[in-house]
Amino acid sequence: MKVIKYIFWTLYRIWFYVLVALPILLLFPFLLISISKESWYPYFFKLARCWAKFILIGMGFTYSIKREQKPIKGKSYMFIANHTSMTDIMLMLVSVKNPFVFVGKAELAKIPLFGFFYKRTCILVDRSSEKSRKAVFLRAQRRLKSGLSICIFPEGGVPEEDVFLDAFKDGAFRLAINHQIPIVPLTFADNKKRFSFTFFSGSPGKMRAYIHKFIKTEGLTIQDTKTLNIKARTVILNKLKAYNK
């Protein structure tokens, strides 16, 4: 029985990468055109949402999204969520219709095919480099000025398996305060169970996303960063605890 499980988990991981690559290959010319101009990013974003849905459905995930508040079309936001799985990217894309740009790890740009578009559409950060972290603010600022939103997983990486929710880094909150844009916390309840970074794990099933009421930043200053950080983390933490009762 244990051998069968390991075979299933191995094939399940391989199938995930097939699903990631297949639509990129099929849509390659359209994706290439959509990234040829920065102003065409919203078209790329629509294709990315289709890619994300294709993967989630292909993996046997049934996703449900509950919203306390809906983002307004044409307005910029800072989207944040807990980070436990490679599928967090896909669920975020499916959950949010407003075009946004991910701030993510530079290492992901090394993934064949996926990395080609990742490094051309996302804001890459090398967390070990102070220069790289500072550059994120400049690139994010340009994207926000063009009317897009930003998405950051504020734990700064994927926590260890036994960590329920890691401490949040301040970057997302400083950026939101600087631009006076609302924080939109999302809670992903099942992604760790469905497809964690542990190789021998995962299974088809439900994936629940919860979009919380937005946290305003109007009138806040950089001195309020830590308070805003704690407030947003508490919102996500309390929802995770409620889901896991």
Side-chain angles (χ1 to χ4, degrees), residues 95-108:
S95 300
V96 177
K97 293 181 180 179
N98 289 45
F100 63 80
V101 177
F102 280 108
V103 174
K105 295 185 293 185
E107 305 93 88
L108 294 180

Side-chain angles (χ1 to χ4, degrees), residues 13-73:
R13 292 277 155 172
I14 294 170
W15 180 238
F16 173 78
Y17 290 110
V18 169
L19 290 174
V20 168
L22 188 59
I24 295 176
L25 288 170
L26 293 173
L27 296 171
F28 194 85
F30 304 101
L31 290 167
L32 209 55
I33 292 167
S34 69
I35 65 169
S36 60
K37 283 188 180 180
E38 201 168 279
S39 60
W40 291 353
Y41 181 83
Y43 299 107
F44 172 83
F45 185 79
K46 286 181 181 179
L47 292 172
R49 293 191 78 231
C50 293
W51 169 80
K53 288 177 184 178
F54 178 82
I55 294 168
L56 295 182
I57 293 168
M59 291 294 288
F61 302 138
T62 56
Y63 56 85
S64 65
I65 303 155
K66 291 186 177 179
R67 298 175 175 87
E68 273 192 72
Q69 195 172 345
K70 288 184 179 180
I72 298 168
K73 188 177 179 180

Side-chain angles (χ1 to χ4, degrees), residues 65-178:
I65 303 155
K66 291 186 177 179
R67 298 175 175 87
E68 273 192 72
Q69 195 172 345
K70 288 184 179 180
I72 298 168
K73 188 177 179 180
K75 190 172 180 181
S76 295
Y77 298 90
M78 174 62 70
F79 297 102
I80 65 168
N82 55 308
H83 194 22
T84 58
S85 168
M86 285 181 279
T87 58
D88 294 340
I89 292 172
M90 293 84 189
L91 191 56
M92 182 67 80
L93 284 166
V94 169
S95 300
V96 177
K97 293 181 180 179
N98 289 45
F100 63 80
V101 177
F102 280 108
V103 174
K105 295 185 293 185
E107 305 93 88
L108 294 180
K110 297 175 184 176
I111 299 173
L113 200 59
F114 169 82
F116 176 83
F117 291 99
Y118 176 79
K119 67 184 176 185
R120 287 165 175 79
T121 57
C122 299
I123 298 171
L124 275 55
V125 57
D126 177 0
R127 298 190 186 278
S128 64
S129 166
E130 187 178 348
K131 185 180 177 181
S132 175
R133 293 198 300 271
K134 286 180 178 177
V136 166
F137 280 84
L138 296 175
R139 292 190 65 194
Q141 188 175 51
R142 193 175 76 246
R143 294 301 189 124
L144 287 167
K145 283 181 178 177
S146 70
L148 297 173
S149 295
I150 300 292
C151 174
I152 297 178
F153 295 108
E155 288 169 278
V158 179
E160 298 295 328
E161 285 289 319
D162 59 334
V163 176
F164 198 58
L165 184 67
D166 216 340
F168 284 0
K169 309 293 184 186
D170 285 335
F173 308 101
R174 284 201 304 269
L175 200 54
I177 289 172
N178 280 340

